[in-house]
Every structure is written in structure tokens, then in C-alpha cells.
Amino acid sequence: MTDAKTEILARIRGALHYTPAPAPAERTYRRSSDRLREEVVEMLEDRLVDYRAAVHRETAETLPARIADLLGVSARYVVPAGLDRSWLPEDTAARRALVDPGDARAASALGVRELNAVDAVVTSSTVSCAETGTIFLTGRPDEGRRAISLVPDHHICVVRLDSVVELIPEALALVEPTAPVTMISGPSATSDIELERVEGVHGPRTLDVILLG
Amino acid sequence: MSRTALGMPAVRPVHGQGNLHARTAFPAAAKAEMGNTQMRANIRHATHTIRGKRAAVAGELPDWEELRSAGSAIKEQVMANLPELLEEFERNVTARGGTVHWARDAEEANRIVTELVQATGSTDVIKIKSMATQEIGLEEHLAGHGITATETDLAELIVQLGRDLPSHILVPAIHKNRHEIRDIFLAEMAETDETLTSEPRDLAEAARTHLREKFLSTSVAVSGANFGVAETGTLTVVESEGNGRMCLTLPETLITVMGIEKIVPTFQDLEVFLQLLPRSSTGERMNPYTSMWTGVTPGDGPHNVHVVLLDNGRTAVLDDPAGRSALHCIRCSACLNVCPVYEQAGGHAYGSTYPGPIGAILSPQLTGITSEQNASLPYASSLCGACYDVCPVKINIPEILVHLRDEDVRTRHGERSDDGAAAAPARTRRLPQAPSEMDLMMKGASFVMSSGRRMALAEKALPLGRAVAGRDRAISWLPGAAGGWTDERDIPAPPKESFRNWWAQHADETAQRVAADGGSTGGATDGTTDGTTDGTTDGTTDGVSDRTSGGTSGGAPSGASHGAPHEGAAGAPQGGARDDTQHDGGER
């Protein structure tokens, strides 16, 4: 008896025996944007709001105050080890940042139950696509491992204006394919009941996007 | 035409098993389902909602048609190079610390997954909604080995808790309304009580609470995959709720079952499908979450990563050049939402994991058209062509439906069998067999209609038909095979006079009127009349199949309408003309 792989490949080759080589795919769809930067950023904002994400425009100076405001006076929140600390507000007695080392095997890594107990997470992002309102996380040091941006119920995500592109092909070209990629388009949602969209199921139910320029 | 003669290995197509076989043929199943008026109301509401959203977001992209063409072309490339792409995919997954398994059929895939779960020592797995695992009946198989699989997608959870069956590819609980769902949750979820309302928001919250502990504590997850990238070994899952992210991130072991047709050649190809899929599927610009993983990422996510590549009849579909594009399907379910037959019959009537128009071409090909119940599926369509218009990878579903009807008729005539490749020149080895009643009727009709003289004679029987119709001017019963028609609807009484007779008497008047209007069409009019009368089918003796396929695929205006789905109807004043435009598609 042949092994399954050999047999399946033989079946495919048998089935394809008379198949002429098809013409190569033509990529005549839009692959690069011809819009102005400000137009593209406005489009991203519009799409995110449409998904019921909250969008805030900040500068390096106003960013820590905005994050403090979004966290509220009392919060334990997780941040990836590579995040720029100058973005964050000073810790207070009631508001504290927990730094995750980015490797679940490390002794200081937060366990899933600890993550489930924190109030929020703050991360950066790799690239964002305006046309679809999609933010890409790719596990870089300032984005952290996937669990930290998933388990907490509130995700505050910083998007640098220079990382915003208009189209999906432009965004995917900036992603390292073998990295763990999470594409986020608004807070978690379901349309499973009568196709009525409800925001907030298993992923973070609140998504705050800060456009940093 | 034998393959061995050309030095190729003689491989016979092997069909799939599992939840692909209908237990009841479509007409009987549909009749039963149509009695469920609540289900029909729910499905009507849902499909109409989603088809509107799809049209809006597809229409928003100026290059939607270019994306569809690219998607179709990439899928054709995939099929043509499938062995090389699968091996490339395996190499890359393996190089990144994952393990690839190959499964010839449902049984083998179930055994592999069960053994992998058993090796972890766990008796619980969390599952992401997946057509492939549903197709092979994985959940039942695991249960038989003492392993509990919990569905984490909200709709699948509703179906699982209600001990029900899915009825739609994207929203499996589409046949249940909010009140029915509340009742299921109340009965099956320990955490709920009478304060639970039937608001979708409350029901989603109940599901979140119910599953949270499962996500945090279960060490094994099972998923399907939307795409597998050969060039990198990357797998992709597209979802909305975050249950997918949970399953793909938190457990130690991740087992993914993927049909071999889900391969795409390059990472760049995802730029096409990640635009086509969400807009076609949920009618959103993008689904909330898409996850990609490549083998194992140390310190981030599962460290024990497996992929099971599943055949289960896919190679048999590939074996038929006229039907293989059914494998291009990316499971968006847009065709279900626009199908007038699905809208009335619902997903359960199709009896297979794959309902709707795509199911009607995929299921019978996966199982072989000789499966009696599934052979009824290609007839579960009015051939209106709406499915083809919305398909994001341009699968010509109506054409394949007609092709499969032909295969079914030829199978029943003993002209082909699924044991020897479908590509065999069946027509040349016709077996002697008594003609069916349908054959005789078609033969008779062919004899009469192929000659103007015989047709004119037949029309003399029109008054007889009027007499049978009686005062209500409807014929509600016909004998024999023709009774299949009158079982479902009345035939209106025939007119007093045939159009041919009327035309013979009035053609001159028309010519005069046209002449009075300043036209000059006398000769042309005559020519048309003659042409029709003489007929062109005298040479065709082989009745049904030739005529049917000729009728839908012939005469397509080549290079016509490449525009929006509804463009075809725009210039057509009448219903009939519009239908023709859609049949022919015009988007080749």
C-alpha cells in the first residue's frame, strides 16, 4: 500500500493529465494609491468609525494624556516590552503598566489568566489599510505576542500616520509573511443572529485607535 | 484515450465520504423544508439583508471585476500546478517547525486528528467553524473516541447546543431567529437564566461568558483554513468574533484540516482573496479579524502545529475538466444569498455540508453523480445565473449544473460511470438499454419540432388542449413523466391559435407598416419566418443533452458586458431578455 501523500499526488497528476498550462494571472487591479496622504488618513478614520472603533488624533505631546484618559483613573494594563515608554502616562497608585517580555516562555510573561484579569492593552502597529479600515499587527517588539492584544477586553492601538496606506496590496507588501499576523478591522463582532451586527464577542470589545502624527 | 497508453499512471478518481451525501433526494427534502414557514421567513430576511450589503460593498470598488478575474486566474493556476504547490507548502511548513499530514479521505483525516489529540492526553478540544471538518464528520468521530469538541463560533454553538444541523456556509444558524436562539441558550447554558433577553447583543454576551473559561483552559484547538500559501507555508483564518484568534493563539496544540484546493501560490495572492472574500461573504469591507501563522513562532502561540491536507473526493472533481472549477470556491456563500431556490428551500434540503448553488455542483462531484440522492442536486436550480454574477472567483455555476445534468442522464443511460474516468468518450460506447418515458417524449418532441410541417400539424391539436383546460383555463394534471410538471403547477390553457398561424396571416401587414414608417425589411421578415420553419436541428438525433448544453452555453456574446453584476439587465426591456443575458453571463 502506498502512503497517502504519494497516492494523492498521483491522483492529482492523473486528473490533470490533459490540462494545458493556463495563462498567468493578470494583476490589473489597483496596486498603488494615487490619493493624497491626508485623504487616505481620513478614509481610515471613516472606516474605523463605521466599525464602531473610537478614533483619536494625537501628537507625541498629547499622546500620554490621551492614553491616561482612555484607561481611566484605575487600570492595570499590559504593554509589550518594545513599546516606546514615552507614549505612556506616569504610573499612579491606581494605574499601572505591566510589561510583557514578548515570549510566553519567559518567567516574567503574563499567563492567560493574568491577561484575563487586566483592564486593557496598549500596542503599536505595523501598517494600516485605509480602504478596508484594517490595522496589521505582526508580532514586532512594540506590538507584542498575540495573546496580549487578544485576551484583555480593551485594546488601545497606536497607528503612526506614516504607516497608513490606502490599499490592501500596499499593506500586505509591508508585512513579513512568516510573522504571526493579526489583521484587525474594528472590535470583535458577530452577525450570526439574524445577520444583525453586534460589536463585542470574544476579542476586545472596545477598540480605541490613536492616529499619531 | 486510456491514460496508460500515454505512459501515465492509471489512477481512477476516488470519491469522497462523510457528510456529503444527502439522505433524501432534493425534491422530497425541499418539499418537507418548505412546510417550515418560520424557517423560510428567517432565511428570506437574512439572505435579502446580506445580498444588499454585498452589492453595496462590491460596487464600491472600481476594480471589482479585475479582482474577480485575477482570483479566477490564480485559482486556475493553482489547479494546474497543484502537486508542486502542495509539496512546496509542505516543505515550508516543515521548515518552520510544523508537521504536515496527508489524508486520502474522511476516515483517514479523522483518524489522524484523533491520534494527534490523543497524543496530547487531552479529552477536550475547542473548534473554529470549518467546512472541511464538518464535511468529514470530525466532531462525531472525536465523540466516539471520548473527545469533546466545543464549537466556538456563535452560530456553530447555536447549532451544536440545539442538536441541529448547519444550513448556510457563513451563518449556519440562519434558519433560527433570535427568540428560538434564546430558548436554546436558556435550556443549554448553565450560566443563563430568565433575565436573558432575545436581543442579539445579550445573546452574544451570553456566548462570551459561556466560552471564556474554555478558551483559557483548553490545550488543543482544531481549525480549518481559508488559504494556505505554498511559497511561505502560511495558513490563514478569516473570522469575526475573535473565537478564531483565541483558538489559534492560546492552546499548546493546533491542528488544521485544509482541503488540498485551498492552496494559493504566493503571499501576494492573498491581496486578491482578502479583498474578494469579506465583501462577498458578510458584505463588509473587511471582516473584523484575520489571522496568519507559519509553522511555529517560538514564544508566541501554539508550539505543536499540525496541518492535515485533505483529498476526500477533491481529486475526483479535478478529474473532470468541465466541472473542476467548482474547486475554485472560497466558501463565501454569496451564491446562496442570491439563489431563488435556496431562499425557498433552505440549506437543509441540500442534505450535504455544502448547500446552495455551490453545493449543487460540489457535492455531486465529490461523491460521484452515481450517488442517487446527490444526483438530484444539479436540478435544484432555475439556471437564472444570479450565482455566477456574484461569484467572486467567477465559477460558472449554471454551466456546470447543466453539465452535471448531462452526466446524470448519461449515467442513467449507462453511457458513463464514475468507475472509469469521466473524461472517457462515453458517447461511443453506448450500451443497449430500454429508453425511458422521458427519452420517448423528448424524441417525439424532437421529431415534431424539427419540421415546420409536422409542427403545423401538431398545432391543430390546440383546441383539444383548450377543451381539457376547461373553464378555469388551466391544466392541472398530465399523465406519466409529464405529471412531474403539473404536480407543482398548472399549465395555462393553450391559445386559440398558434403564433405561427397568426404570423402567416399578418406578416404582410407588418411589412406594410414597416414600409410606411420608412423602413425596408420585407425580405428580412420572410427570411426569418423561413428560417424558423425549416429548423436547424434536423441533424441532431441525440436529443436531450446536446440541446440542453447548446441552449445555455451557445450564443454567448463574446467579450460582452464586463461590468457590474446588474449591468446585463440594464438595457433589456423584458424579463425574458434579461434572463437570457444572465444565462450567457458574458463574463468569460
Side-chain angles (χ1 to χ4, degrees):
Chain A
M1 185 178 135
T2 50
D3 69 298
K5 178 182 172 181
T6 309
E7 188 171 333
I8 291 171
L9 292 177
R11 287 177 186 177
I12 298 170
R13 292 200 168 98
L16 290 175
H17 185 41
Y18 297 112
T19 306
E26 284 185 41
R27 301 184 191 275
T28 50
Y29 50 86
R30 292 168 301 153
R31 302 206 63 251
S32 59
S33 171
D34 48 15
R35 288 179 199 268
L36 299 172
R37 168 142 305 275
E38 186 49 32
E39 226 183 315
V40 173
V41 172
E42 268 169 31
M43 183 190 280
L44 175 67
E45 184 169 358
D46 170 76
R47 304 291 147 95
L48 286 168
V49 169
D50 189 46
Y51 295 138
R52 310 271 191 284
V55 182
H56 319 269
R57 291 225 193 187
E58 306 297 338
T59 62
E61 291 73 45
T62 61
L63 181 60
R66 171 59 71 185
I67 291 177
D69 183 47
L70 293 172
L71 288 168
V73 284
S74 171
R76 290 172 68 249
Y77 66 102
V78 59
V79 296
L83 194 76
D84 186 341
R85 301 296 164 80
S86 73
W87 289 3
L88 302 176
E90 294 286 322
D91 279 359
T92 66
R95 187 185 61 223
R96 197 159 67 86
L98 309 167
V99 178
D100 183 83
D103 186 333
R105 300 165 299 180
S108 59
L110 280 78
V112 286
R113 286 180 196 283
E114 289 169 280
L115 287 172
N116 198 37
V118 305
D119 299 299
V121 56
V122 179
T123 72
S124 181
S125 55
T126 303
V127 61
S128 293
C129 169
E131 187 167 72
T132 61
T134 306
I135 300 165
F136 290 68
L137 303 186
T138 63
R140 300 199 300 199
D142 57 353
E143 297 158 19
R145 61 194 170 99
R146 286 171 285 173
I148 68 164
S149 51
L150 169 64
V151 181
D153 203 14
H154 181 188
H155 184 187
I156 299 169
C157 188
V158 178
V159 171
R160 290 188 202 81
L161 288 188
D162 62 9
S163 72
V164 180
V165 297
E166 184 195 355
L167 305 172
I168 283 290
E170 295 174 304
L172 275 175
L174 297 171
V175 166
E176 164 57 45
T178 55
V181 178
T182 306
M183 296 165 54
I184 298 172
S185 309
S188 82
T190 183
S191 301
D192 279 350
I193 301 167
E194 297 180 15
L195 287 173
E196 187 171 300
R197 187 177 160 106
V198 175
E199 283 81 21
V201 198
H202 304 296
R205 287 181 287 189
T206 308
L207 175 64
D208 279 300
V209 179
I210 300 176
L211 300 177
L212 178 65
Chain B
M1 265 207 40
S2 133
R3 294 193 164 105
T4 38
L6 292 161
M8 291 298 290
V11 182
R12 289 147 68 124
V14 183
H15 292 100
Q17 349 153 317
N19 297 328
L20 292 167
H21 290 267
R23 286 187 194 89
T24 313
F26 184 84
K31 200 159 197 168
E33 290 295 328
M34 285 172 69
N36 187 345
T37 50
Q38 181 66 62
M39 178 279 289
R40 289 173 67 188
N42 296 348
I43 289 200
R44 184 180 163 77
H45 167 73
T47 53
H48 281 247
T49 306
I50 203 164
R51 74 169 76 152
K53 287 171 69 182
R54 189 213 71 89
V57 294
E60 191 178 276
L61 292 190
D63 52 356
W64 183 249
E65 291 304 323
E66 284 79 6
L67 286 166
R68 287 179 78 209
S69 297
S72 173
I74 292 168
K75 284 290 185 176
E76 238 177 89
Q77 292 283 350
V78 169
M79 298 310 148
N81 301 302
L82 197 52
E84 296 75 23
L85 292 171
L86 286 167
E87 291 197 282
E88 185 184 1
F89 176 78
E90 180 184 39
R91 269 198 310 278
N92 286 313
V93 171
T94 309
R96 298 270 307 179
T99 309
V100 175
H101 311 258
W102 301 69
R104 280 165 278 212
D105 51 31
E107 198 182 309
E108 192 165 25
N110 284 331
R111 182 176 52 73
I112 292 168
V113 176
T114 305
E115 286 172 6
L116 288 171
V117 177
Q118 283 168 339
T120 68
S122 175
T123 54
D124 276 300
V125 304
I126 43 179
K127 264 197 83 239
I128 310 177
K129 177 179 135 46
S130 132
M131 303 304 292
T133 57
Q134 198 184 306
E135 169 190 326
I136 62 176
L138 179 64
E139 194 184 315
E140 298 81 358
H141 190 270
L142 288 173
H145 290 76
I147 298 163
T148 310
T150 303
E151 291 288 355
T152 61
D153 170 74
L154 178 53
E156 287 285 358
L157 182 68
I158 294 165
V159 168
Q160 189 178 48
L161 293 176
R163 293 169 191 83
D164 197 354
L165 288 169
S167 66
H168 189 282
I169 290 175
L170 172 74
V171 267
I174 198 172
H175 56 292
K176 295 282 187 205
N177 67 24
R178 60 185 69 190
H179 307 293
E180 295 167 298
I181 293 165
R182 175 195 181 254
D183 292 344
I184 292 170
F185 279 14
L186 209 51
E188 301 292 330
M189 285 182 181
E191 309 87 347
T192 60
D193 59 37
E194 284 295 332
T195 59
L196 181 69
T197 74
S198 52
E199 274 306 303
R201 184 164 300 282
D202 266 17
L203 296 169
E205 168 81 36
R208 178 184 169 97
T209 311
H210 178 74
L211 288 174
R212 197 70 179 184
E213 181 57 31
K214 277 269 177 222
F215 287 135
L216 299 181
S217 61
T218 310
S219 62
V220 185
V222 174
S223 83
N226 293 94
F227 309 102
V229 181
E231 160 188 69
T232 55
T234 305
L235 286 163
T236 308
V237 161
V238 167
E239 53 130 358
S240 296
E241 295 167 13
N243 64 306
R245 290 177 70 190
M246 290 282 181
C247 293
L248 300 172
T249 306
L250 302 185
E252 292 160 15
T253 299
L254 172 60
I255 305 163
T256 302
V257 181
M258 182 176 86
I260 52 174
E261 82 284 17
K262 294 292 185 78
I263 291 281
V264 296
T266 67
F267 190 77
Q268 192 197 2
D269 294 327
L270 293 177
E271 73 190 20
V272 176
F273 297 107
L274 290 178
Q275 295 192 71
L276 290 171
L277 180 54
R279 288 181 197 257
S280 300
S281 186
T282 53
E284 295 168 300
R285 293 183 177 116
M286 187 61 83
N287 50 291
Y289 298 135
T290 296
S291 297
M292 301 179 194
W293 70 101
T294 310
V296 175
T297 303
D300 184 353
H303 50 77
N304 193 9
V305 172
H306 297 269
V307 193
V308 182
L309 296 173
L310 177 71
D311 179 352
N312 202 38
R314 285 158 177 78
T315 48
V317 184
L318 197 63
D319 196 64
D320 180 357
R324 68 166 61 129
S325 65
L327 292 177
H328 296 185
C329 175
I330 57 172
R331 311 279 187 266
C332 73
S333 69
C335 61
L336 278 62
N337 301 328
V338 297
C339 178
V341 175
Y342 177 87
E343 181 181 326
Q344 298 302 330
H348 291 156
Y350 295 81
S352 154
T353 296
Y354 303 102
I358 185 64
I361 61 170
L362 197 53
S363 307
Q365 293 198 88
L366 287 167
T367 61
I369 196 86
T370 44
S371 155
E372 169 103 28
Q373 286 74 21
N374 280 7
S376 69
L377 290 174
Y379 300 93
S381 167
S382 66
L383 301 180
C384 76
C387 48
Y388 181 31
D389 282 345
V390 298
C391 179
V393 289
K394 299 217 264 188
I395 301 171
N396 193 334
I397 296 177
E399 196 171 278
I400 299 178
L401 284 166
V402 171
H403 164 69
L404 293 176
R405 291 178 187 188
D406 180 40
E407 298 279 280
D408 172 48
V409 170
R410 292 202 291 123
T411 304
R412 283 193 276 124
H413 285 197
E415 293 174 10
R416 71 178 283 283
S417 82
D418 280 312
D419 298 336
R427 273 166 218 284
T428 61
R429 54 179 175 86
R430 168 182 290 232
L431 302 175
Q433 198 179 31
S436 71
E437 195 179 343
M438 179 65 87
D439 297 336
L440 292 174
M441 281 167 47
M442 287 298 169
K443 262 302 199 247
S446 167
F447 177 75
V448 172
M449 291 176 171
S450 58
S451 146
R453 198 168 47 79
R454 291 195 288 263
M455 191 68 193
L457 269 171
E459 282 163 358
K460 293 215 188 302
L462 288 179
L464 180 65
R466 289 176 71 78
V468 171
R471 292 175 64 107
D472 65 355
R473 308 197 63 193
I475 299 170
S476 51
W477 181 85
L478 285 174
W485 182 278
T486 49
D487 280 351
E488 307 298 337
R489 59 270 218 216
D490 293 340
I491 296 177
K496 283 184 194 135
E497 183 182 28
S498 74
F499 174 75
R500 288 156 39 85
N501 275 339
W502 181 89
W503 184 250
Q505 289 159 27
H506 295 78
D508 289 350
E509 297 169 26
T510 306
Q512 284 158 18
R513 230 174 276 142
V514 171
D517 288 348
S520 60
T521 56
T525 316
D526 283 351
T528 312
T529 320
D530 289 341
T532 319
T533 315
D534 291 336
T536 49
T537 50
D538 268 325
T540 311
T541 53
D542 201 17
V544 199
S545 52
D546 286 343
R547 299 174 67 97
T548 342
S549 49
T552 45
S553 62
S558 60
S561 156
H562 195 259
H566 303 296
E567 208 174 274
Q574 287 168 2
R578 180 205 164 128
D579 274 1
D580 283 342
T581 317
Q582 293 194 335
H583 286 193
D584 292 334
E587 299 173 358
R588 300 285 149 103

